[in-house]
Amino acid sequence: NILILAHTMVDQVSIAQGIITTMIEQGIRPLTVSYNIIINSFAKRGELDVVNHILDEMMEVRVPVDKITCNTLIKAQCMSGNVEGAENILKHMSDTGIPANRYTWASLTGFYARNSDVNSLVWTVERSIADGCIPDAMSMEQMGFLLSSSSHPRASAALQTIQELVREATVSSKENNNKNDSLWFQSLSRHNHIHNSSSNSEIKGGDDDVHDTDTDTETIDDVHVHASGSSTTKDVQQQKCAEDNSKCQRHQKKENDNSTSTDWLHKLLG
């Protein structure tokens, strides 16, 4: 993949494509990212016939397309003026469970804005928001610039409609995020409360005091009997503390990963 990328960066796309052919001949199945690099290079050149040939090859060697493949194809179709083809790829993504993202929608909104197709533009923004992808500042700036320079009589009204749609969606998204943050902090507070209760019980009275638990929050099913025959809630509480803390950490990591996991590859493919 490093060699493939290196050759495409110096405009030696044919050599990069030959590397993939050599891999297949030697029984090494290329990865999706290998093909994505090649597809992106030919798409930028406008050589869509070659892109279609590469897609056929991917099917033959059973290499699946992914979100980045589809985004690259949608961008290429929009650049060539074939928005119908771009919409068909978007439908394929929906039908096969490949989630669209802001890059997907930005290609379409950019095309409709450049061509002053205000009805399709507003409709696409509505679809984007319904799909959970609120246009970002860069997309809004692009649409605003293109519509402000458009001679279409409804361009200004369309821009105002889009701005209102985005404003409402942003407020709603922030409210949902605040609600999720509140639930997360409640879980964290519960963890801290259990941890402190466990520590206090241990300090106050030893094993006899540990069994004297609050029946509103603990049941007899929460008391695990160990192999030695002893039965305490202290170990259970400590275990639950560790589990709750692990869940909180996984929740935070998932949020971070969701925002950064594919950004570097999108930048790589332009």
Side-chain angles (χ1 to χ4, degrees):
N1 288 335
I2 294 176
L3 285 174
I4 293 170
L5 176 61
H7 283 295
T8 58
M9 291 178 68
V10 294
D11 203 28
Q12 296 177 344
V13 188
S14 297
I15 296 177
Q17 191 176 14
I19 294 174
I20 290 184
T21 301
T22 301
M23 292 172 65
I24 295 173
E25 290 174 351
Q26 294 181 355
I28 303 172
R29 191 175 75 165
L31 301 175
T32 301
V33 66
S34 310
Y35 281 107
N36 284 345
I37 297 170
I38 299 292
I39 288 174
N40 183 65
S41 296
F42 280 111
K44 284 183 176 179
R45 292 167 161 224
E47 299 182 34
L48 298 186
D49 291 340
V50 179
V51 170
N52 290 333
H53 172 74
I54 295 172
L55 289 172
D56 291 338
E57 182 179 300
M58 290 179 70
M59 294 180 63
E60 289 178 9
V61 297
R62 297 184 178 181
V63 175
V65 300
D66 62 6
K67 184 190 305 180
I68 296 174
T69 315
C70 294
N71 284 350
T72 303
L73 295 174
I74 287 175
K75 183 179 179 180
Q77 295 292 346
C78 288
M79 289 174 63
S80 68
N82 183 17
V83 72
E84 183 179 353
E87 290 283 1
N88 287 336
I89 296 170
L90 178 63
K91 184 178 184 303
H92 169 78
M93 294 176 69
S94 177
D95 293 343
T96 56
I98 300 175
N101 61 11
R102 61 190 179 93
Y103 294 92
T104 316
W105 294 106
S107 294
L108 290 166
T109 55
F111 174 86
Y112 289 128
R114 282 192 301 273
N115 290 274
S116 298
D117 188 346
V118 295
N119 291 332
S120 297
L121 177 59
V122 173
W123 174 58
T124 301
V125 171
E126 290 175 338
R127 288 185 293 161
S128 171
I129 292 173
D131 195 45
C133 295
I134 302 174
D136 59 9
M138 185 176 295
S139 296
M140 291 297 296
E141 183 177 350
Q142 179 192 43
M143 286 186 283
F145 173 77
L146 293 170
L147 288 177
S148 63
S149 59
S150 172
S151 59
H152 195 284
R154 292 187 57 239
S156 178
L159 180 58
Q160 290 179 359
T161 300
I162 291 170
Q163 290 172 338
E164 185 61 29
L165 286 170
V166 172
R167 188 179 300 111
E168 291 177 358
T170 301
V171 170
S172 177
S173 176
K174 287 182 178 179
E175 290 176 351
N176 289 334
N177 288 338
N178 288 339
K179 182 178 179 181
N180 291 335
D181 288 343
S182 176
L183 292 174
W184 185 84
F185 281 116
Q186 287 177 17
S187 176
L188 182 61
S189 297
R190 175 175 174 271
H191 154 70
N192 290 334
H193 173 72
I194 294 174
H195 178 74
N196 292 336
S197 297
S198 175
S199 298
N200 291 337
S201 296
E202 182 177 4
I203 294 172
K204 285 181 180 179
D207 288 342
D208 291 336
D209 289 333
V210 170
H211 289 284
D212 187 16
T213 58
D214 185 355
T215 55
D216 290 336
T217 58
E218 300 287 341
T219 67
I220 191 64
D221 293 330
D222 293 323
V223 180
H224 292 198
V225 178
H226 299 279
S228 62
S230 62
S231 173
T232 70
T233 57
K234 179 177 69 175
D235 295 326
V236 177
Q237 290 169 337
Q238 291 174 344
Q239 181 181 353
K240 292 185 69 175
C241 289
E243 290 174 352
D244 286 344
N245 188 45
S246 177
K247 288 178 182 178
C248 292
Q249 291 175 347
R250 288 198 304 270
H251 175 80
Q252 186 64 39
K253 183 177 184 300
K254 183 178 179 181
E255 290 183 343
N256 293 336
D257 289 346
N258 286 342
S259 63
T260 60
S261 59
T262 59
D263 285 351
W264 69 272
L265 197 45
H266 283 294
K267 292 177 183 177
L268 176 72
L269 296 178

